[in-house]
Amino acid sequence: QVQLVESGGGLVQPGGSLRLSCATSGIIFSVYNMAWYRQAPGKQRELVAAVTTGPLINYADSVKGRFTISRDNAKATVYLEMNSLKPEDTAVYYCKAHRSMPYREYWGQGTQVTVSS
């Protein structure tokens, strides 16, 4: 079966840093596009960063210059380095894997990130 397991979340002070990991199994990781989403209380889920199989990368404007997404195909793992964290970054962060033709999509269970002093 397919599994995506996020880790690395926690409580951090404003201006601090955190690294999230998403370990996958049950998929051919190298042919999947990977992405990080987040959902804050009372808000809709939003795309944070994505890395394709290329690997091409894109970021949400709100995190550009502060976050870095990367992938390690040998470890079948995608990472999100988060720096200069702000209270508005507080959310549950979710890992997603997807491909097209045929379309397949898988989600992790999420990891909580709380930025507070």
Side-chain angles (χ1 to χ4, degrees), residues 4 6 22 24 34-37 78 93-97 106-108:
L4 279 67
E6 301 99 333
C22 174
T24 72
M34 303 297 300
W36 288 96
Y37 288 76
V78 63
Y93 284 71
Y94 298 93
C95 177
K96 186 186 80 171
Y106 304 101
W107 290 87

Side-chain angles (χ1 to χ4, degrees), residues 23-107:
T24 72
S25 61
I27 64 171
I28 304 175
F29 182 82
S30 62
V31 306
Y32 277 79
N33 304 300
M34 303 297 300
W36 288 96
Y37 288 76
R38 68 186 181 187
Q39 187 165 24
K43 297 184 178 180
Q44 291 194 319
R45 184 182 62 191
E46 65 173 341
L47 176 67
V48 176
V51 55
T52 71
T53 59
L56 298 177
I57 294 172
N58 66 85
Y59 298 96
D61 288 341
S62 59
V63 307
K64 192 173 299 182
R66 299 188 298 121
F67 291 10
T68 302
I69 189 171
S70 61
R71 64 187 295 157
D72 187 334
N73 286 352
K75 297 180 179 179
T77 300
V78 63
Y79 305 94
L80 186 67
E81 298 273 3
M82 304 184 294
N83 301 310
S84 302
L85 284 162
K86 306 173 180 179
E88 50 262 46
D89 295 318
T90 296
V92 177
Y93 284 71
Y94 298 93
C95 177
K96 186 186 80 171
H98 80 274
R99 59 167 292 173
S100 299
M101 199 174 296
Y103 186 82
R104 298 173 185 173
E105 180 182 284
Y106 304 101
W107 290 87

